[in-house]
Amino acid sequence: MPKQKLIVFDIDGTLYRSDDYERELHKEIVELLAEKLGCSTEEVKAKLRALRKETPSISWCLIKLGINLKEFYEELARRANPSKYIREAKDVKALLGKLKEAGFKLAAHTNSGRALALKVLGALGINPSMFDIMVTSDDAEPKPSPDGYLKILGLAGITAEEAVYVGDRYDVDLKPAKELGIRTVIVGKGITPKDVDFKVENILEIEDLFLKTQG
Ligand SMILES: [Mg+2]
């Protein structure tokens, strides 16, 4: 990989993977939505199923349902308990440390609210100060909007060509990055979409990508 200066990480599904937490969080989201919209959880699920056809992002589903995203995520953060499901990730923490030492700026970019993102990082044992920049849906329009990407590039003071984006979802994380000219790394086991630049099965493999191939 040519000399990149900034590595942007999606958090959920990228820095860690927990199907149990994902399930639990989805359940909390459905319950909270049912309270906010004054309908049953079954009705909420039907609404989400319909909206998911228009957008792959749950945050955008919430916006389309007229939900105040900031308030919603703050309440969700109070209810959710990620540390019950997500284990400390010393190896990921060490990896981020090595990347910083090698001179990369690091950013975290999530569609979650800031309070919940901080709780998840806490469960992982990753100090948020590891990230030079953190953009959540409290700070910018959620992905796949280009808003957060541009905000990160602006804050870092670098061009799209100098950045690389690491994420687990093509439509939500990587397609918008690609459209802005940011290089992309997909994390996960599925099929690699054609225009993704690099693929790793596990986040730890990016060490080779960034630290062993640079001159
Ligand atoms: Mg993700």
Side-chain angles (χ1 to χ4, degrees):
M1 183 171 302
K3 201 85 184 165
Q4 308 302 131
K5 293 182 180 165
L6 169 75
I7 309 174
V8 187
F9 293 93
D10 167 53
I11 297 178
D12 303 299
T14 299
L15 292 183
Y16 74 96
R17 229 246 85 98
S18 168
D19 293 342
D20 288 342
Y21 175 60
E22 213 175 281
R23 244 192 313 276
E24 179 60 25
L25 191 67
H26 193 74
K27 196 172 140 254
E28 298 273 8
I29 289 172
V30 168
E31 282 169 11
L32 185 53
L33 259 181
E35 286 174 35
K36 296 249 181 213
L37 299 174
C39 63
S40 71
T41 53
E42 285 315 307
E43 284 170 293
V44 167
K45 284 181 196 164
K47 283 181 203 285
L48 287 178
R49 261 195 305 276
L51 284 168
R52 279 284 174 118
K53 286 175 192 151
E54 293 169 36
T55 169
S57 145
I58 189 84
S59 297
W60 277 104
C61 292
L62 297 173
I63 290 170
K64 286 180 187 231
L65 287 168
I67 295 292
N68 178 320
L69 211 54
K70 193 168 190 309
E71 274 174 27
F72 188 90
Y73 277 127
E74 274 169 12
E75 179 59 31
L76 190 65
R78 281 191 285 274
R79 297 183 183 198
N81 187 10
S83 58
K84 193 173 152 195
Y85 304 92
I86 303 170
R87 274 179 312 218
E88 194 179 345
K90 288 195 176 128
D91 40 9
V92 178
K93 187 180 164 183
L95 167 69
L96 297 176
K98 282 185 211 167
L99 293 169
K100 268 182 93 78
E101 244 169 63
F104 289 102
K105 273 191 186 177
L106 306 183
H109 185 203
T110 178
N111 272 0
S112 176
R114 183 167 291 263
L116 187 54
L118 291 178
K119 254 184 150 174
V120 167
L121 290 176
L124 290 166
I126 295 172
N127 192 322
S129 67
M130 288 299 269
F131 297 102
D132 303 281
I133 296 160
M134 183 155 142
V135 169
T136 70
S137 63
D138 292 0
D139 313 294
E141 269 191 7
K143 300 177 254 186
S145 161
D147 193 32
Y149 299 79
L150 295 172
K151 188 153 200 172
I152 290 169
L153 294 178
L155 286 168
I158 65 153
T159 64
E161 292 72 26
E162 294 170 316
V164 59
Y165 202 102
V166 184
D168 67 306
R169 293 199 288 172
Y170 176 73
D171 286 347
V172 179
D173 299 320
L174 302 180
K175 191 162 171 270
K178 205 69 214 173
E179 281 165 4
L180 292 169
I182 300 171
R183 280 170 174 262
T184 50
V185 179
I186 195 161
V187 180
K189 292 199 166 128
I191 301 156
T192 314
K194 266 199 291 296
D195 66 351
V196 164
D197 297 297
F198 300 94
K199 177 192 168 75
V200 293
E201 288 202 352
N202 182 292
I203 185 72
L204 298 175
E205 293 165 35
I206 69 166
E207 180 170 350
D208 284 353
L209 208 55
F210 291 114
L211 297 179
K212 304 219 169 126
T213 54
Q214 299 218 14

